[in-house]
Amino acid sequence: MDYSAILNRINTDITPLLGQGKVASYIPALACANPHDFAMSLQLINGESYHIGLSNQTFSIQSISKVFMYEMALSLFEESIFGRVNVEPSGNPFNSLIQLEYENGIPRNPFINPGAIVIADMLTSHFGKDAIPSILGFIQKCADDRCISMNESIAESEHTSGYRNYALANLMKSFGNIVNDVESVLNTYFHCCSISAHTAQLARATVHLAHRGTDPLTSIVHLSSEHTKRINALMLTCGHYDASGEFAYRIGLPGKSGVGGGIIAIVPNVMSIAVYSPALNHHGNSLVGTKALELFTRYSGHTVF
Amino acid sequence: MDYSAILNRINTDITPLLGQGKVASYIPALACANPHDFAMSLQLINGESYHIGLSNQTFSIQSISKVFMYEMALSLFEESIFGRVNVEPSGNPFNSLIQLEYENGIPRNPFINPGAIVIADMLTSHFGKDAIPSILGFIQKCADDRCISMNESIAESEHTSGYRNYALANLMKSFGNIVNDVESVLNTYFHCCSISAHTAQLARATVHLAHRGTDPLTSIVHLSSEHTKRINALMLTCGHYDASGEFAYRIGLPGKSGVGGGIIAIVPNVMSIAVYSPALNHHGNSLVGTKALELFTRYSGHTVF
Amino acid sequence: MDYSAILNRINTDITPLLGQGKVASYIPALACANPHDFAMSLQLINGESYHIGLSNQTFSIQSISKVFMYEMALSLFEESIFGRVNVEPSGNPFNSLIQLEYENGIPRNPFINPGAIVIADMLTSHFGKDAIPSILGFIQKCADDRCISMNESIAESEHTSGYRNYALANLMKSFGNIVNDVESVLNTYFHCCSISAHTAQLARATVHLAHRGTDPLTSIVHLSSEHTKRINALMLTCGHYDASGEFAYRIGLPGKSGVGGGIIAIVPNVMSIAVYSPALNHHGNSLVGTKALELFTRYSGHTVF
Amino acid sequence: MDYSAILNRINTDITPLLGQGKVASYIPALACANPHDFAMSLQLINGESYHIGLSNQTFSIQSISKVFMYEMALSLFEESIFGRVNVEPSGNPFNSLIQLEYENGIPRNPFINPGAIVIADMLTSHFGKDAIPSILGFIQKCADDRCISMNESIAESEHTSGYRNYALANLMKSFGNIVNDVESVLNTYFHCCSISAHTAQLARATVHLAHRGTDPLTSIVHLSSEHTKRINALMLTCGHYDASGEFAYRIGLPGKSGVGGGIIAIVPNVMSIAVYSPALNHHGNSLVGTKALELFTRYSGHTVF
């Protein structure tokens, strides 16, 4: 398939949409993003890669980091996670406390904020002071690229504006579902949100999810085949907050979005995809990024269904 | 792949579980089912089929009929459905009124009761008095089998015990999301629930969903390729009520369960599957049926992820 | 105290407000009310009565009938009511299904629709076919006036537009908290809503609630002293839907409003009050009626606190 | 009336109940209370006072402090409070986050935790570093007793176990309804909870609420007459969390309970009452204290209704 042509066609189609939507503004570093930016990268398991737009311009991956955090947790803790974080779609915004209170502090899934905070707690317990560098190291290893970094000023901003995340963590702590002190757990969590990468790096970092957990270029096993299937299932049912059903319905690929404007998607056995455009739709997902992926599945015919 | 051997292996594995779980008891016809019954059928798109257990014993397909109803509605009404029924997972039991009230009478998806009741309303508007035979006719055509029938005594029982469905329909009517009178709409809905079939028929009736909407044996087009993808996406995210995430996570195939103990599942481009065992787990899905599908994906390696 | 002067002063004060708010429009008979109408009646336990405005013009008392229904039920069934209807404020609109589903079909109190529907069910069980005339008879007896009647055309209208009440009744029936068939129960309920009276009759009919249950003019005991105290407590905490707290806070008297624009209020040991003005505030209570009662407590100093 | 005799009769009646219920155990200082302790004090506006049991044994007044906090806020900020804290019953437990999220961070009333936290925020803004001594000073002045004090070890315990209060405060801060930093606000709040007093002091401190805001013994005006009426109305509709309706129904007096086992109640124009017994019923209110007040209204006939 001529993926270069497909990317060009997508680029043409989405150009009129650039600038629609709203850039996240709750922290300064995100608010400064240019709503006209766009990038898309394909990393095939056969080693080929295709890029269009600003594919070497880093951005804040935000919630996309939740995928890597859960990969690590799944390898380390396996089934024992399930008493603390469930795997069901939430049907609610990413940071709602309502469901969490009704369900006694057990988050619906690891891709909404409270779920990722519990995962951060588990990784903090396991790695202690090394939790943050360990998570960063895992992503760097997946991307085969030591240049991926955390952005301290973003981590700091999340801290000072993250009242709702403090509310979530304290509520879960009141139910006994946070072991470490809230400050340490959120420190880990906020640093994960602050990871910066560009689409070329992100596509590279997730290609193992299209290849049963093994990096097709280096042959390093990042995740078991069984766990890879589960990560993909979770991305399909829970990857886009309260628009997960619509993403599955329209695009039909496992994916995960971040409020920074990035989205990753997986075509099992074929490739990983990363797309970036910072202006968001009303569900908090990249407006142009979602559209680009919808066009991609239409033009390529790739879908899991 | 030796599917006969796989079915035999599954049969052996699930035998000790038969009798666990609880047969639905809210209407007499369901309560009479034998909790030790088991059947499983595979219908490959290459025409082969494999069966084990009581694959010619009919049972009440109940909510599995919601798939066929939505197929018809999607073909007839296309995007105009979306103002009346959404495509998001619900995260709640199949008949909850809470979400429905918060969301102004617009059901989350067509595979929970209120969503299917709205679909029944749309089909009732379109077909008038012929709604019930038209829906039955569509399933018969999909199965290439005129013997599939509705069970009047079950339809009648649903009627006299269906207070919650009356509550759902009246609540939606108060929001203006039911056009016809409640009695007519529920008459259509209850008759759909009463359809009886066996696993061989059900697998046959759904094989077009594994083949982009076209019956691979008769070449009849039941659904467009685009709509087929969407039905499968919906089954993956919403097919099992508040256990949909877990089904995707553990089994990784689009599927739909019914309270009568049946489950269908789709392996895109390969086959459809129907399984039956009437005793249910606490989510209201067939306990042994769910297990059999989990074993099937493990032994065959078939998954969309 | 010069109650005539107080009524005149209130009349002057509220005149500029007449026409503000919105007349209930869900049934034709209510929609036809003149938003500029106003009436207020005081019935003292010493036999004196004071009136201003259209105090002989009948209107639909709607939910005010819930007070009389609960009086009857309390006398007949006493403490055994509590398994079926609670006595807590609801904090939700009068016809919400959400709380009812969470609380397994047990309504919060008898002054919201579902609570009154359960009371209608209990009275239907007790009186059979005579339920409707028995309730009307009780109100006539309390008012010492056989002219108070039900309005069949309003009862009929409630019937054909009452989808939400059907939803509530069916939901409670699904929980086993409605014994009779839904149609009969709602027939009783809708007829109670259709009772017509004017403020002079309403003040007269409720004066026993200011006099420990005994009619101060006829000496007929309508309710025990203990039950009277409880009715007044319920009116104070639950009499105005989700504005009950504000009514207690600003007015400080037990009261009950109806969507027809009437409100009754009790000054224990002194008098009963009825006020009417059909235009409603956003909580569904008479806008001018609420204001008139607030002025009354200010000018008279009467309050339970 | 012979109040001594009434107290003796109550004491006899409640003796068999002592030990039933459960002492609050979430902080050590409360857990150590003796479930057999009982005390009751009446402070009449004519200056007489009556006591029975351990009426000079101090206990943690906990949420009863919310009454004094709101009195101060009402005097200082008057109607401007209403944009930040409502006056409606909540129908939910004292520390639920669900309603708070649905209602955008505006608490239902000042007598549930989030409401009192907002009041603490307002008092912290007004008094700065003097907030804590100012509140204590107000209570001492009301009681005409400088010996009432805060218990630092309880305040500290609240701090280290108060995750849910941190969750509430952070959630409201995310909605912009907390102005000061969360730590300072909760410091004020936890110190208020830690106030210790005995029933004689508490009855004395609240007698102005039975006397239109003016201390009947010293003639000091603590609160306007209008505001006193509103405090009493609020206690009646919201003073006992999700058992407020039942308290009004069975006892019929404005009152406020604390998790330490104390309850205050007001008989307008007659007296204030304080009762203490640390074992709680399932609503979190003193089991014996509630019973004692019910008996008091029965034996004395005092009720607002």
Side-chain angles (χ1 to χ4, degrees):
Chain A
M1 206 175 297
D2 185 348
Y3 289 116
S4 289
I6 288 176
L7 288 187
N8 280 315
R9 197 169 161 199
I10 291 170
N11 197 34
T12 306
D13 290 357
I14 60 89
T15 299
L17 300 176
L18 290 171
Q20 289 185 18
K22 251 182 98 105
V23 169
S25 58
Y26 72 99
I27 57 174
L30 295 181
C32 296
N34 181 344
H36 289 83
D37 284 355
F38 173 70
M40 190 167 187
S41 294
L42 314 180
Q43 176 64 55
L44 278 64
I45 62 171
N46 69 5
E48 294 171 12
S49 66
Y50 300 87
H51 308 275
I52 202 157
L54 305 164
S55 61
N56 288 308
Q57 178 182 305
T58 61
F59 59 91
S60 183
I61 73 168
Q62 293 285 328
S63 290
I64 298 174
S65 63
K66 293 177 168 68
V67 176
F68 299 100
M69 292 165 73
Y70 193 62
E71 286 191 58
M72 294 178 78
L74 206 48
S75 294
L76 288 166
F77 313 116
E78 303 204 326
E79 298 284 309
S80 69
I81 297 178
F82 298 123
R84 297 187 56 188
V85 188
N86 218 320
V87 293
E88 288 301 322
S90 116
N92 279 312
F94 56 96
N95 57 10
S96 172
L97 287 97
I98 292 170
Q99 207 168 49
L100 195 57
E101 182 169 2
Y102 272 124
E103 300 180 358
N104 299 315
I106 307 297
R108 274 290 171 100
N109 67 67
F111 292 167
I112 49 174
N113 291 19
I117 291 169
V118 172
I119 299 297
D121 183 48
M122 297 177 84
L123 294 174
T124 301
S125 292
H126 184 81
F127 289 111
K129 288 179 183 304
D130 293 330
I132 293 171
S134 298
I135 299 168
L136 181 60
F138 178 69
I139 298 180
Q140 290 174 333
K141 197 177 72 169
C142 290
D144 196 22
D145 187 337
R146 298 287 139 184
C147 298
I148 293 177
S149 65
M150 281 161 170
N151 182 322
E152 276 298 330
S153 100
I154 288 183
E156 186 56 35
S157 297
E158 303 275 1
H159 236 275
T160 54
S161 70
Y163 302 118
R164 196 173 264 266
N165 286 317
Y166 275 92
L168 290 164
N170 277 292
L171 177 58
M172 293 190 290
K173 182 122 186 141
S174 78
F175 281 111
N177 199 18
I178 292 290
V179 174
N180 298 283
D181 68 281
V182 164
E183 204 55 64
S184 306
V185 172
L186 288 180
N187 192 42
T188 302
Y189 175 77
F190 289 143
H191 274 85
C192 292
C193 292
S194 84
I195 291 171
S196 292
H198 50 61
T199 57
Q201 289 168 326
L202 263 184
R204 181 70 187 79
T206 51
V207 70
H208 66 282
L209 294 174
H211 194 245
R212 299 180 172 263
T214 301
D215 189 322
L217 287 80
T218 64
S219 298
I220 295 174
V221 177
H222 297 306
L223 199 65
S224 76
S225 166
E226 187 64 17
H227 287 161
T228 302
K229 166 183 161 184
R230 296 186 171 191
I231 293 278
N232 286 335
L234 253 182
M235 285 199 285
L236 197 80
T237 53
C238 312
H240 303 272
Y241 313 126
D242 48 349
S244 297
E246 195 173 330
F247 193 90
Y249 194 84
R250 298 208 177 279
I251 293 165
L253 294 174
K256 181 78 201 79
S257 66
V259 77
I263 309 179
I264 58 165
I266 304 299
V267 187
N269 306 314
V270 183
M271 71 170 79
S272 58
I273 308 170
V275 62
Y276 169 65
S277 183
L280 310 177
N281 61 25
H282 67 286
H283 291 295
N285 301 315
S286 172
L287 186 150
V288 165
T290 304
K291 187 66 187 170
L293 287 168
E294 193 176 343
L295 293 168
F296 179 80
T297 60
R298 190 186 304 159
Y299 297 155
S300 70
H302 287 313
T303 165
V304 302
F305 298 116
Chain B
M1 205 173 298
D2 185 347
Y3 290 116
S4 290
I6 289 177
L7 287 188
N8 280 315
R9 194 168 163 199
I10 291 170
N11 196 33
T12 307
D13 290 358
I14 58 90
T15 299
L17 300 176
L18 290 172
Q20 291 185 18
K22 248 182 101 102
V23 169
S25 58
Y26 71 99
I27 58 174
L30 296 181
C32 296
N34 181 343
H36 288 84
D37 285 355
F38 174 70
M40 190 167 187
S41 294
L42 315 180
Q43 176 64 56
L44 278 64
I45 62 172
N46 68 7
E48 293 171 12
S49 66
Y50 301 86
H51 308 276
I52 202 157
L54 305 163
S55 61
N56 288 308
Q57 179 183 302
T58 60
F59 58 92
S60 183
I61 73 168
Q62 293 286 327
S63 289
I64 299 174
S65 63
K66 293 176 169 71
V67 176
F68 300 100
M69 292 165 74
Y70 193 62
E71 286 192 58
M72 293 177 78
L74 206 48
S75 294
L76 288 167
F77 313 116
E78 304 204 325
E79 299 283 310
S80 69
I81 297 178
F82 298 124
R84 298 187 56 190
V85 187
N86 218 319
V87 292
E88 289 300 323
S90 113
N92 280 312
F94 56 96
N95 57 8
S96 172
L97 287 98
I98 293 170
Q99 206 167 49
L100 195 57
E101 183 169 1
Y102 272 125
E103 300 181 356
N104 299 314
I106 308 297
R108 274 292 171 99
N109 67 66
F111 292 167
I112 50 175
N113 292 20
I117 291 169
V118 172
I119 298 297
D121 183 50
M122 297 177 84
L123 296 174
T124 300
S125 290
H126 184 81
F127 290 111
K129 288 179 183 302
D130 293 330
I132 293 171
S134 298
I135 298 167
L136 181 60
F138 178 68
I139 298 180
Q140 290 174 334
K141 197 177 72 169
C142 290
D144 197 22
D145 186 336
R146 297 286 140 182
C147 298
I148 294 177
S149 65
M150 283 162 170
N151 182 323
E152 275 300 328
S153 99
I154 288 183
E156 186 56 35
S157 297
E158 303 276 1
H159 237 273
T160 54
S161 70
Y163 302 118
R164 196 173 265 264
N165 287 317
Y166 275 92
L168 290 164
N170 277 292
L171 177 59
M172 293 190 290
K173 182 122 185 139
S174 78
F175 281 112
N177 199 18
I178 293 290
V179 173
N180 297 284
D181 69 281
V182 164
E183 204 55 63
S184 307
V185 173
L186 289 180
N187 192 42
T188 302
Y189 174 78
F190 289 142
H191 274 86
C192 293
C193 293
S194 83
I195 292 171
S196 292
H198 50 60
T199 58
Q201 289 168 326
L202 263 185
R204 181 70 186 81
T206 51
V207 69
H208 66 282
L209 294 174
H211 193 245
R212 299 180 172 263
T214 301
D215 189 321
L217 286 80
T218 65
S219 298
I220 295 174
V221 178
H222 297 306
L223 199 66
S224 76
S225 166
E226 188 64 18
H227 286 162
T228 303
K229 167 183 161 183
R230 294 184 174 192
I231 294 277
N232 287 334
L234 254 181
M235 285 200 284
L236 197 80
T237 54
C238 312
H240 304 271
Y241 313 126
D242 48 349
S244 297
E246 195 173 330
F247 194 90
Y249 194 84
R250 300 211 175 277
I251 292 166
L253 293 175
K256 181 78 201 79
S257 66
V259 77
I263 309 178
I264 58 165
I266 303 299
V267 187
N269 304 315
V270 183
M271 72 171 77
S272 59
I273 308 170
V275 62
Y276 169 66
S277 184
L280 309 177
N281 62 24
H282 67 286
H283 291 296
N285 301 315
S286 172
L287 187 151
V288 165
T290 304
K291 187 66 188 173
L293 287 168
E294 192 176 344
L295 294 167
F296 179 79
T297 61
R298 190 185 304 160
Y299 297 155
S300 71
H302 286 312
T303 165
V304 302
F305 298 116
Chain C
M1 206 173 298
D2 185 349
Y3 290 116
S4 290
I6 289 177
L7 288 187
N8 280 316
R9 194 167 164 200
I10 292 170
N11 196 34
T12 306
D13 290 357
I14 59 90
T15 299
L17 300 175
L18 289 172
Q20 288 185 21
K22 251 181 98 103
V23 169
S25 58
Y26 71 98
I27 58 172
L30 296 182
C32 296
N34 182 344
H36 289 83
D37 285 355
F38 173 71
M40 190 166 187
S41 294
L42 315 180
Q43 175 65 56
L44 277 65
I45 62 173
N46 68 7
E48 293 171 13
S49 66
Y50 300 86
H51 309 276
I52 202 158
L54 306 163
S55 61
N56 289 307
Q57 179 182 302
T58 61
F59 58 91
S60 183
I61 72 167
Q62 294 285 327
S63 290
I64 298 173
S65 63
K66 294 176 169 69
V67 175
F68 300 100
M69 293 165 73
Y70 192 62
E71 286 189 59
M72 293 178 77
L74 207 48
S75 293
L76 288 166
F77 314 117
E78 304 205 326
E79 298 283 309
S80 70
I81 297 179
F82 298 124
R84 297 186 59 189
V85 187
N86 218 321
V87 293
E88 288 301 322
S90 116
N92 279 311
F94 56 95
N95 57 9
S96 172
L97 287 96
I98 292 171
Q99 208 168 47
L100 195 57
E101 183 168 2
Y102 272 125
E103 300 181 356
N104 299 314
I106 307 297
R108 274 294 171 97
N109 66 67
F111 291 166
I112 51 175
N113 291 20
I117 291 170
V118 172
I119 298 298
D121 183 49
M122 297 177 83
L123 295 174
T124 301
S125 291
H126 184 81
F127 290 109
K129 286 176 184 309
D130 294 330
I132 293 172
S134 298
I135 299 168
L136 181 60
F138 178 69
I139 298 180
Q140 290 174 335
K141 197 178 71 169
C142 290
D144 196 22
D145 187 336
R146 298 286 138 184
C147 298
I148 295 177
S149 65
M150 284 163 169
N151 181 323
E152 275 300 328
S153 100
I154 288 183
E156 186 56 35
S157 296
E158 303 276 359
H159 236 276
T160 55
S161 70
Y163 302 119
R164 195 172 265 265
N165 287 317
Y166 276 92
L168 290 164
N170 277 290
L171 178 58
M172 293 190 290
K173 181 119 186 141
S174 79
F175 281 112
N177 200 18
I178 293 291
V179 174
N180 299 283
D181 69 281
V182 164
E183 205 56 62
S184 306
V185 173
L186 289 180
N187 192 43
T188 302
Y189 175 78
F190 290 143
H191 274 85
C192 293
C193 293
S194 82
I195 291 171
S196 292
H198 50 62
T199 57
Q201 289 168 324
L202 264 183
R204 181 70 186 80
T206 51
V207 70
H208 66 283
L209 294 173
H211 194 245
R212 301 183 171 258
T214 300
D215 189 322
L217 288 78
T218 65
S219 298
I220 296 175
V221 178
H222 297 307
L223 200 66
S224 76
S225 166
E226 187 65 18
H227 287 162
T228 302
K229 167 182 163 184
R230 295 187 172 189
I231 294 277
N232 286 336
L234 254 180
M235 285 200 285
L236 197 81
T237 55
C238 312
H240 303 271
Y241 312 127
D242 48 350
S244 297
E246 196 174 328
F247 193 90
Y249 194 83
R250 298 207 177 281
I251 293 166
L253 293 175
K256 180 78 200 79
S257 66
V259 77
I263 309 179
I264 57 164
I266 303 299
V267 186
N269 304 316
V270 182
M271 72 171 79
S272 59
I273 309 169
V275 60
Y276 168 67
S277 183
L280 309 178
N281 63 24
H282 66 287
H283 291 296
N285 300 317
S286 172
L287 188 148
V288 165
T290 304
K291 187 65 188 172
L293 287 167
E294 193 177 341
L295 293 168
F296 179 79
T297 60
R298 190 184 305 157
Y299 297 154
S300 71
H302 286 312
T303 165
V304 303
F305 300 115
Chain D
M1 206 174 299
D2 185 348
Y3 289 117
S4 289
I6 288 177
L7 288 187
N8 279 317
R9 194 167 163 200
I10 291 171
N11 196 34
T12 306
D13 289 357
I14 60 90
T15 300
L17 301 175
L18 289 172
Q20 289 185 21
K22 252 182 97 101
V23 169
S25 59
Y26 71 99
I27 58 173
L30 296 182
C32 296
N34 182 344
H36 289 83
D37 285 355
F38 173 71
M40 191 166 186
S41 296
L42 315 180
Q43 175 65 55
L44 277 65
I45 61 173
N46 68 7
E48 293 171 13
S49 65
Y50 301 85
H51 308 275
I52 202 158
L54 305 164
S55 62
N56 288 308
Q57 180 181 305
T58 62
F59 58 91
S60 183
I61 72 167
Q62 293 286 328
S63 290
I64 297 174
S65 63
K66 293 177 169 67
V67 176
F68 299 100
M69 293 166 73
Y70 193 62
E71 285 191 60
M72 293 178 77
L74 206 48
S75 293
L76 288 167
F77 313 117
E78 304 205 327
E79 298 283 308
S80 70
I81 297 179
F82 299 123
R84 297 186 59 189
V85 186
N86 218 320
V87 293
E88 288 301 323
S90 115
N92 279 311
F94 55 96
N95 57 9
S96 172
L97 288 96
I98 291 170
Q99 207 167 48
L100 196 56
E101 183 169 2
Y102 272 124
E103 300 181 356
N104 300 313
I106 308 297
R108 275 292 171 98
N109 67 66
F111 291 167
I112 50 175
N113 291 19
I117 291 170
V118 171
I119 298 298
D121 184 49
M122 296 177 84
L123 295 174
T124 300
S125 291
H126 184 82
F127 290 110
K129 286 178 184 307
D130 293 330
I132 293 172
S134 298
I135 299 167
L136 180 59
F138 178 67
I139 297 180
Q140 290 174 335
K141 197 177 70 169
C142 290
D144 196 23
D145 186 337
R146 298 287 139 183
C147 297
I148 294 178
S149 65
M150 284 163 170
N151 182 321
E152 276 300 328
S153 100
I154 288 183
E156 186 56 35
S157 296
E158 302 276 359
H159 236 274
T160 55
S161 70
Y163 302 119
R164 195 173 266 263
N165 286 318
Y166 275 92
L168 290 165
N170 276 290
L171 178 58
M172 292 190 289
K173 181 121 185 141
S174 78
F175 280 112
N177 200 18
I178 293 291
V179 174
N180 299 283
D181 69 282
V182 165
E183 204 56 64
S184 307
V185 174
L186 289 181
N187 192 42
T188 301
Y189 175 77
F190 290 144
H191 273 85
C192 294
C193 292
S194 83
I195 292 171
S196 292
H198 50 62
T199 57
Q201 289 168 325
L202 265 184
R204 181 71 187 79
T206 51
V207 70
H208 66 283
L209 295 173
H211 194 244
R212 301 180 172 261
T214 301
D215 189 323
L217 288 79
T218 65
S219 298
I220 296 175
V221 178
H222 297 306
L223 199 65
S224 76
S225 167
E226 188 64 18
H227 287 162
T228 302
K229 167 183 162 182
R230 297 187 171 188
I231 293 277
N232 287 336
L234 254 180
M235 286 200 283
L236 196 81
T237 54
C238 312
H240 303 271
Y241 313 128
D242 48 349
S244 298
E246 196 174 329
F247 193 89
Y249 194 84
R250 298 208 178 281
I251 293 165
L253 294 175
K256 180 77 201 80
S257 66
V259 78
I263 309 179
I264 57 165
I266 303 300
V267 186
N269 305 315
V270 182
M271 72 171 77
S272 59
I273 308 170
V275 60
Y276 168 67
S277 183
L280 309 177
N281 62 24
H282 67 286
H283 291 296
N285 301 316
S286 172
L287 187 149
V288 165
T290 304
K291 187 65 187 171
L293 287 167
E294 195 177 341
L295 293 168
F296 179 79
T297 60
R298 189 183 307 158
Y299 298 154
S300 71
H302 286 314
T303 164
V304 302
F305 299 116

